[in-house]
């Protein structure tokens, strides 16, 4: 990526203080989605994480991971698999619970969505504490597939979320 392309993406991220609760600085990526040139740059940047690596499927995490992940999958010619918050997937699922700042959450994946040995790129908009992505990696691992990369548009590096992602190859386009 060209440095000015990265700068344009960073300039478009809108900081919203105290959303969804006091003390959280929410990184709003919708201005990137709404701009055709910026959306194209963001997808190309995320897909670059898989440069020279064969990817069978992109796994996107509920919900903004679907937007970026589906476009990245299309660009790579790979399949797309959603990991959803519990209760949304209709077929047999594998479930993983993880801790949030307050309380617990659960995500799930269709048991037959990835096959043993398949090579997976995980995509989400933002890495914060790493709880969500860590749970996603466990689900993929439990189904026997291999996570060859994890790509985020934004990483809140001060939260050290990548420490919860084991030895996966983790890359972020914008880091704070
Ligand atoms: P975590 O499990 O702590 O890494 O949180 C990651 C998930 O929460 C991602 O799917 C993000 O979309 C969302 N998230 C967490 N913190 C923020 C933030 N400051 N701004 C925007 N989204 C966030």
């Amino acid at each position: 990526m060209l440095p000015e392309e990265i700068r344009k993406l960073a300039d478009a991220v809108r900081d919203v203080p105290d959303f969804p609760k006091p003390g959280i600085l929410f990184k709003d990526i919708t201005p990137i989605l709404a701009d055709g040139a910026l959306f194209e740059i963001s997808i190309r940047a995320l897909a670059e994480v898989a440069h020279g690596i064969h990817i069978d499927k992109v796994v996107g995490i509920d919900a903004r991971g679907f937007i970026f992940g589906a476009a990245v999958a299309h660009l790579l010619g790979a399949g797309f698999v959603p990991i959803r918050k519990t209760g949304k997937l209709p077929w047999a699922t594998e479930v993983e619970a993880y801790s949030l700042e307050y309380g617990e959450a659960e995500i799930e994946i269709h048991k037959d969505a990835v096959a043993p040995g398949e090579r997976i790129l995980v995509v989400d908009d933002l890495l914060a504490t790493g709880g969500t992505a860590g749970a996603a990696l466990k689900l993929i691992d439990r189904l026997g597939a291999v996570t060859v990369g994890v790509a985020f548009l934004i990483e809140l590096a001060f939260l050290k979320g990548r420490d919860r992602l084991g030895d996966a190859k983790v890359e972020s386009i914008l880091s704070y």
Side-chain angles (χ1 to χ4, degrees), residues 24-27 62 64 124-132 156:
I24 303 287
L25 183 63
F26 193 86
K27 297 284 186 189
D62 206 341
R64 276 157 287 165
D124 201 1
D125 69 323
L126 186 141
L127 173 64
T129 67
T132 314
L156 303 182

Side-chain angles (χ1 to χ4, degrees), residues 17-94:
D18 299 318
F19 183 87
K21 51 189 176 195
I24 303 287
L25 183 63
F26 193 86
K27 297 284 186 189
D28 177 18
I29 51 79
T30 60
I32 291 176
L33 303 180
D35 183 304
L38 293 179
F39 188 39
E40 191 274 336
I41 291 170
S42 70
I43 297 310
R44 206 158 22 89
L46 288 165
E48 242 176 44
V49 173
H51 183 76
I53 306 174
H54 174 73
I55 302 292
D56 293 305
K57 284 170 182 164
V58 173
V59 166
I61 305 176
D62 206 341
R64 276 157 287 165
F66 297 169
I67 302 168
F68 293 105
V72 169
H74 179 69
L75 191 60
L76 296 176
F80 176 79
V81 171
I83 282 188
R84 300 211 64 179
K85 289 162 188 152
T86 42
K88 303 284 188 186
L89 289 172
W91 190 243
T93 63
E94 200 67 54

